[in-house]
Amino acid sequence: MSTPFPFTAVVGQDDLRLALLLNAVSPAVGGVLVRGEKGTAKSTAVRALSALMPEVDVVAGCRFSCAPGSPDPACPDGPHEVGPGVRRPARMVELPVGASEDRLVGALDIERALAEGVKAFEPGLLADAHRGILYVDEVNLLHDHLVDLLLDAAAMGASYVEREGVSVRHAARFLLVGTMNPEEGELRPQLLDRFGLTVEVAASREPDQRVEVVRRRLAYDDDPEGFAARWADEESAVRARIVAARELLPSVRLGDGALRQIAATCAAFEVDGMRADIVMARTATALAAWDGRTDVLAEDVRQAALLALPHRRRRNPFDAPGLDEDKLDETLEEFGGRNEDEGDDDPDPDGPGGGGQPPENGPQDGPQDASQDGSEDRSQNGPQDGADGSEPGGDEAARPQAGESGQPGAPGAGEQQAVRAGEPFRTKVLSVPGLGEGAAGRRSRARTEHGRTTGARRPRGTLTKLHLAATVQAAAPHQRARGRSGRGLVVRRDDLRQATREGREGNLVLFVVDASGSMAARQRMSAVKGAVLSLLLDAYQRRDKVGLVTFRGSAAEVALPPTSSVDAAAVRLESLPTGGRTPLAAGLLKAHDVLRVERLRDPARRPLVVVVTDGRATGGPEPVALAGRAARLFAADEVASVVVDCESGPVRLGLAGQLAGELGGTAVTLDELRADSIAGLVRDVQGSNRRAA
């Protein structure tokens, strides 16, 4: 087993380390969601925490880690007698993004359950993580139904496996930690709310901090065991502090004054439901225990709010998590005020805001001030860098600036300043015809593991969803030959039938946006951006991937490669400048190339192309004919498409409608897109594709 990077050697990232330590003290806080750009020590800090967790006593031979002093009476490996057990380190279990439902919750042998009445159960990752840490890297890329199962188990402290009336239950209490890069897509607000705390991390822009990150990472890579040994005393100190805080936690008193501050803060920030109040109360209590106190102070409530409320403040998918600290301070002062001794803006590094740094006796390989002066850097420079050794800093391409060079047609091509998008509106569903087999979503019909049952088939591999009637029907004719003598049905593996289900899939919605001079009227471009933003909101809700191709001047570019981050697409759209000629053919060819590459990467995800243009084509020889030939490539591949006609004025040429015909799709105007008349659009898309076929 490789030596993990020491938790106390992570540079900065005070909020991240504090949130992890509070959950180690009190798992009832509800876990941590760590949001941040790549290379910011998210995974490093989580993996390092496992070495600090106190060892656990378990029943010898129990696959579900029952405590020997109070074993689970419903344990599938039980019943166990109360007695001495064996001690082992707390586990850290990682849930891969591509894991199946059976790998997460466990699998039940349906054949033995039906034929023998035996609950033969193979535990999953939830059982492995019991009384330890369950870590989900890139949790935003995990399928929604797996996230639901995961968070339900974390909330109830138990996992249930149901297969056609046969059920198994086992305890599943663990510290849940998820990490994600928001550039790759957001979690739904309902799922965000299920995480107790959230932390935003970013790379430091302070050169000294970055130097210390590199120095420590190189030292660790050269000699992991030696580097860890130099931090052993600090690790032991934090481990002992966790144990002491756990023992003190039941004695911490949460007074009425602190409760009023918690309730008033949640009400002031208009968070939904009561989960935020409960999480804040548990977090404030854990903060007091971590600081060695038996009373919850106003400073604990304030820190708890900063960790528990930002992700619960989002009102639409494009809102960034955050909290107005001035408003927070005003609320705390109104309902109880801050303590008189809280005049120092630089909190004690070992106090509630200090992130659990060890005492000032660290090793000599790195200056202590670089890792402990987190309060000042947090106020001036934002969240600090980590020590995972990867390239710090975010994806700069994800934050284009209005009017930047390098865009098609820029500068000198009549470029105009970007205009803001108009007010978004609700759209009705656009779907891809036919029956797909893509990733679970909410747009087009598809064969899925979850949905309504439509039939049965022989299982391919492990049986996951039994079709009971079809199984009985397959086994019934053979009962006499199999020597059936009692009431039980003799079932063999060849009789088992897998239920086929139909649900919804997410698609790749590729926007091809005309940003040429003919679209440059400010009012019209604002309406166009508003329409695309509305469709992006719809794509977010339906769990689609999105991509953005723009064309203007003399060329086209992929402004955003296909991604699950609808937020990134909205940012690119907002900063999109306009001007120049209309290379329509180039835009279509670029989009066709994007689909070709994406088909190799994700062949099961079906595309829907949305072309936003007035249909004009200029520049080069025979631009209209060339655009027509490019459009027919989509029709030949049977790609579902919609043309949003942006032509305006008293004289209309109808070029967008002609383009839709070449694509084998349908055309709608901006007015039709905004109105309920879009309801017939799905039928038009399907009908056009059938005619093209």
Side-chain angles (χ1 to χ4, degrees), residues 303-593:
Q303 184 66 56
L306 293 174
L307 294 172
L309 296 188
H311 61 302
R312 295 181 166 92
R313 286 282 299 142
R314 299 184 65 184
R315 285 296 178 259
N316 70 66
F318 300 149
D319 286 343
L323 206 65
D324 184 341
E325 295 194 33
D326 291 336
K327 182 178 179 180
L328 173 61
D329 290 335
E330 291 174 2
T331 303
L332 292 174
E333 290 174 4
E334 180 181 355
F335 290 87
R338 304 284 298 277
N339 287 348
E340 294 180 357
D341 59 349
E342 287 186 358
D344 187 1
D345 291 332
D346 185 12
D348 180 0
D350 289 329
Q357 278 298 107
E360 297 180 2
N361 58 351
Q364 298 301 315
D365 65 73
Q368 289 299 308
D369 59 348
S371 62
Q372 294 185 2
D373 193 15
S375 59
E376 179 180 348
D377 289 328
R378 183 166 64 249
S379 63
Q380 295 181 4
N381 300 316
Q384 302 304 311
D385 195 6
D388 63 352
S390 58
E391 179 67 20
D395 180 7
E396 295 300 328
R399 296 182 292 274
Q401 303 299 318
E404 68 184 17
S405 60
Q407 299 273 357
E415 179 178 306
Q416 298 187 20
Q417 186 178 3
V419 300
R420 295 186 62 85
E423 189 69 22
F425 52 89
R426 185 175 180 84
T427 67
K428 293 190 177 179
V429 62
L430 310 177
S431 67
V432 178
L435 195 63
E437 295 182 343
R442 299 179 179 180
R443 185 172 295 278
S444 304
R445 295 173 55 220
R447 299 182 185 91
T448 62
E449 287 294 319
H450 299 269
R452 63 186 182 89
T453 300
T454 58
R457 60 171 173 80
R458 291 182 181 273
R460 305 185 188 102
T462 303
L463 179 71
T464 55
K465 298 291 183 182
L466 179 74
H467 195 296
L468 184 58
T471 298
V472 172
Q473 187 176 11
H478 308 290
Q479 297 304 296
R480 181 175 297 177
R482 294 174 182 174
R484 173 185 171 185
S485 58
R487 298 177 60 184
L489 189 68
V490 181
V491 179
R492 296 180 179 172
R493 182 165 295 277
D494 289 344
D495 301 327
L496 299 179
R497 294 295 182 267
Q498 173 84 26
T500 58
R501 298 171 181 255
E502 182 178 309
R504 292 280 170 176
E505 67 176 359
N507 297 110
L508 166 60
V509 182
L510 182 61
F511 293 93
V512 186
V513 180
D514 183 350
S516 65
S518 64
M519 302 280 288
R522 295 186 66 85
Q523 185 175 1
R524 179 152 57 125
M525 197 61 198
S526 177
V528 168
K529 286 187 175 183
V532 178
L533 184 63
S534 303
L535 293 169
L536 283 172
L537 281 166
D538 182 68
Y540 169 85
Q541 294 164 351
R542 300 187 186 282
R543 313 305 291 167
D544 294 317
K545 291 178 72 172
V546 297
L548 179 63
V549 173
T550 64
F551 58 94
R552 64 186 179 90
S554 59
E557 72 158 352
V558 181
L560 182 71
T563 175
S564 297
S565 178
V566 179
D567 300 58
V571 171
R572 298 295 177 93
L573 177 71
E574 190 70 26
S575 60
L576 177 66
T578 58
R581 295 180 180 273
T582 312
L584 177 58
L588 295 174
L589 290 173
K590 181 68 72 174
H592 189 268
D593 188 57

Side-chain angles (χ1 to χ4, degrees), residues 82-96:
V82 176
V86 296
R87 175 160 291 193
R88 63 162 176 78
R91 294 173 180 158
M92 192 190 80
V93 178
E94 295 195 38
L95 174 62

